[in-house]
Amino acid sequence: MRTTVPPTGVVISGSGIWTPPHIITNDELVDAYNQYAGQFNAEHARAIAAGKMEEKPLSSARFIEKASGIKARHVYSKDGILDIHRMRPDFPERRESEISHQAEIAATAARGAMAEAGKTASEIDAVIVACTYTQRAYPAIAIEVQHALGIENGFGFDMLGACSAATFGLHRAYDSLMSGSASCVLVLHPELVTPQVDYRDRDSHFIFGDVGAAMILERADSCAGGKGFDVLGVRAMTRFSSNIRSNFGHLSNAFDGDPFAGDKLFHQAGRKVFEEVSPLAAGHIKDHLASHGIRPNQVARFWLHQANINMNRMVIKHLLNAEARPETVPMVLDHYGNTASAGSIVAFHFHHQRMQPGDIGVICSFGAGYSVCSLILRKR
Ligand code: CO8
C-alpha cells in the first residue's frame, strides 16, 4: 500500500532475468559479416579501385574476443542478423491486440524478481521501465507490463538513459521509496538492442546482445525475513559527449535521407570512450564509497557495466591498484555481449548468492551520455 511515511531504508529483495532463446557465436557473426563484405567489395570493385568508395574491411573472431572479451551473445532473433542480404534482425510485427515484444520480455523477467522477493501484484505500486530504447513512445511499456501482471495500484512510466538507464531507474525507485510516494517498486530493463546495431559495420557489429532484467525495491520495514540487500546509497552523474551516439528518433520521419543510415544506428569512438570513461567511473565509485566511509578494498563484489572486459579491468586497476579477480568483479559479457544498461543487473543477478551478511557490493553503470551511476549495497 502506498504510504507517505518515510521508510527507515530501502532493500533490493529480488531480481529476475529473461534470456533470449538464440545464441550467435563470434565465428558465426564474423562468417556472415565477411561474406557480406566480400560480396560488397566484389560488387563495388570499380568504385573502390577508383577511390570513390571505401573497401569493407574484414572482421576477425580473435580480434573481437581479445579487444572486448565477448565470445557470444544471446539474441531475440538470429536469422536476419546472419542473412547477408538483410544484415538486421527480423522480429515479427505484432498486432495492437497482442502484448508487445518488450512488455512480454519485461513481464517474464518481472515474474522471476517477484517470486524471489515473495511479492504479489497487489503489493507492487510502481513500475518503471528503464532501458536504452522503448519500441514505441506511447502508451508506456511500463503501463502495459503493469496491466499484463495485474498490478492495479499506483503508476508506471518509461525512462531512457542509455548505458545507465537501469541504474538511473533504480535511483528513481530509491527516491520514490525514500519520499514515501511508493512502497514497492518493480524496475524493468527490457534491452532489445540488436535492432540498433549496424551489422554492416565491422567496428561495432559484435558488441551487443539482447536481454531482459528486473529488480524489486521495497521499504526495509516491509521486507520480511531479513533477506536481500540494504541500499546504503545511490549516486548519479552525467557529462555531455557525442562519442557514443544514435540519431534515430521520431524526427527521422521529418528529415530527408535514409532513416536507417549508419549515423541513425549505434556508433561510437570506442577507443576514446574507453580512455575517458574508465577513470570517470573509477573516480565516481571511489568518491561515492568515501562518502559512506568505505574503502574500495572493503568491497566484496563489483557488479560493473558489461561493455568491455578490458575497460572493467582498467576501472578496477584505478580503484584497487590490483588485477580484477572474477570472484570480486564478475563478468557475464563473455556469453551475453554488451546488453546496454542491463549488464550490471545481469551480473548482480547471477553473482550475489554466496555473499555473507554485512558484505558490501557496488552496482555501477557507465557509458553513453556520458553517464555514470552507482548503488552501494550491504547484504542483510
Ligand atoms: N575485426 C578486426 N579488426 C577490427 C575489428 C574487427 N571486428 N574492429 C576494429 N578492428 C581494428 C580497427 O580498425 C583498428 O585497426 P587499425 O589499428 O589498423 O586502425 C584495430 O582493430 C584497433 O581498433 P580499436 O582501437 O578501435 O580497438 P579497441 O582495442 O579500442 O577495441 C572496442 C574496440 C572493443 C569497440 C573498444 O574500443 C571498446 O569496447 N570500447 C568501449 C566502448 C564502450 O564501452 N562503449 C559503450 C557502448 S554503449 C553501451 O554500453 C550501451 C548504450 C548504448 C546502447 C546501444 C544499443 C545498440
Side-chain angles (χ1 to χ4, degrees):
M1 278 298 102
R2 197 154 4 138
T3 170
T4 50
V5 180
T8 49
V10 169
V11 169
I12 292 180
S13 55
S15 64
I17 291 288
W18 165 85
T19 296
H22 307 291
I23 294 172
I24 299 182
T25 64
N26 287 348
D27 284 335
E28 287 176 298
L29 193 69
V30 165
D31 192 44
Y33 170 85
N34 284 348
Q35 278 187 50
Y36 158 79
Q39 195 177 70
F40 178 96
N41 292 339
E43 269 171 24
H44 299 96
R46 275 199 190 162
I48 292 168
K52 291 181 185 155
M53 203 176 250
E54 293 228 349
E55 188 179 37
K56 288 263 176 204
L58 293 185
S59 187
S60 135
R62 252 180 64 198
F63 168 87
I64 293 170
E65 188 173 339
K66 190 163 171 284
S68 70
I70 299 167
K71 297 176 182 165
R73 67 286 295 144
H74 291 266
V75 295
Y76 193 50
S77 132
K78 175 170 178 171
D79 293 344
I81 295 172
L82 298 182
D83 175 354
I84 66 161
H85 303 293
R86 184 177 172 92
M87 301 298 277
R88 59 193 172 90
D90 51 349
F91 295 6
E93 200 166 346
R94 291 187 174 171
R95 292 189 299 274
E96 289 190 359
S97 57
E98 295 177 284
I99 189 166
S100 66
H101 294 286
Q102 237 177 341
E104 185 175 66
I105 68 169
T108 304
R111 288 188 188 98
M114 288 163 68
E116 193 185 29
K119 292 288 166 197
T120 61
S122 64
E123 293 170 288
I124 294 168
D125 54 8
V127 180
I128 302 174
V129 163
C131 55
T132 308
Y133 302 97
T134 51
Q135 70 174 81
R136 59 168 188 263
Y138 49 85
I141 304 295
I143 304 175
E144 190 183 2
V145 179
Q146 185 188 15
H147 173 71
L149 294 174
I151 297 169
E152 289 173 1
N153 302 320
F155 58 90
F157 65 89
D158 296 349
M159 54 172 278
L160 307 181
C163 304
S164 293
T167 47
F168 276 42
L170 297 172
H171 192 311
R172 293 283 78 69
Y174 177 87
D175 290 350
S176 302
L177 290 160
M178 287 303 274
S179 73
S181 65
S183 59
C184 183
V185 188
L186 177 59
V187 195
L188 302 167
H189 321 294
E191 291 287 20
L192 286 182
V193 291
T194 51
Q196 263 288 295
V197 176
D198 186 353
Y199 287 98
R200 302 158 301 179
D201 173 35
R202 190 274 305 256
D203 292 4
S204 64
H205 74 125
F206 56 88
I207 297 178
F208 292 99
D210 301 315
V211 83
M215 289 278 216
I216 296 272
L217 277 75
E218 59 178 300
R219 295 166 60 99
D221 50 19
S222 75
C223 184
K227 64 181 173 189
F229 288 82
D230 289 308
V231 182
L232 301 185
V234 295
R235 182 179 283 195
M237 63 87 63
T238 52
R239 184 179 300 168
F240 184 69
S241 166
S242 281
N243 283 335
I244 311 168
R245 192 160 174 138
S246 154
N247 291 318
F248 183 79
H250 74 289
L251 292 190
S252 303
N253 191 38
F255 297 145
D256 293 333
D258 178 1
F260 301 105
D263 78 299
K264 303 292 186 299
L265 302 174
F266 167 87
H267 55 288
Q268 70 168 347
R271 182 82 354 225
K272 267 196 178 160
V273 172
F274 192 106
E275 286 161 6
E276 292 174 6
V277 174
S278 307
L280 201 65
H284 174 95
I285 294 172
K286 201 178 248 177
D287 289 350
H288 191 190
L289 286 168
S291 71
H292 289 269
I294 302 168
R295 292 189 307 278
N297 63 8
Q298 292 175 301
V299 175
R301 206 68 46 95
F302 290 96
W303 301 284
L304 300 182
H305 181 53
Q306 303 283 309
N308 183 302
I309 192 168
N310 300 317
M311 201 165 172
N312 287 7
R313 285 179 180 146
M314 184 68 81
V315 170
I316 294 300
K317 189 95 187 150
H318 279 294
L319 270 174
L320 299 172
N321 197 23
E323 296 302 310
R325 293 184 299 129
E327 56 276 25
T328 314
V329 192
M331 297 297 297
V332 294
L333 171 87
D334 53 346
H335 55 288
Y336 274 93
N338 178 340
T339 50
S341 80
S344 57
I345 312 303
V346 178
F348 169 85
H349 176 77
F350 287 118
H351 297 279
H352 69 263
Q353 289 77 4
R354 292 204 200 132
M355 291 175 72
Q356 302 301 315
D359 277 356
I360 299 291
V362 174
I363 296 178
C364 185
S365 65
F366 37 84
Y370 295 139
S371 59
V372 185
C373 183
S374 54
L375 290 90
I376 302 176
L377 310 184
R378 183 178 57 212
K379 179 83 180 104
R380 299 182 98 204

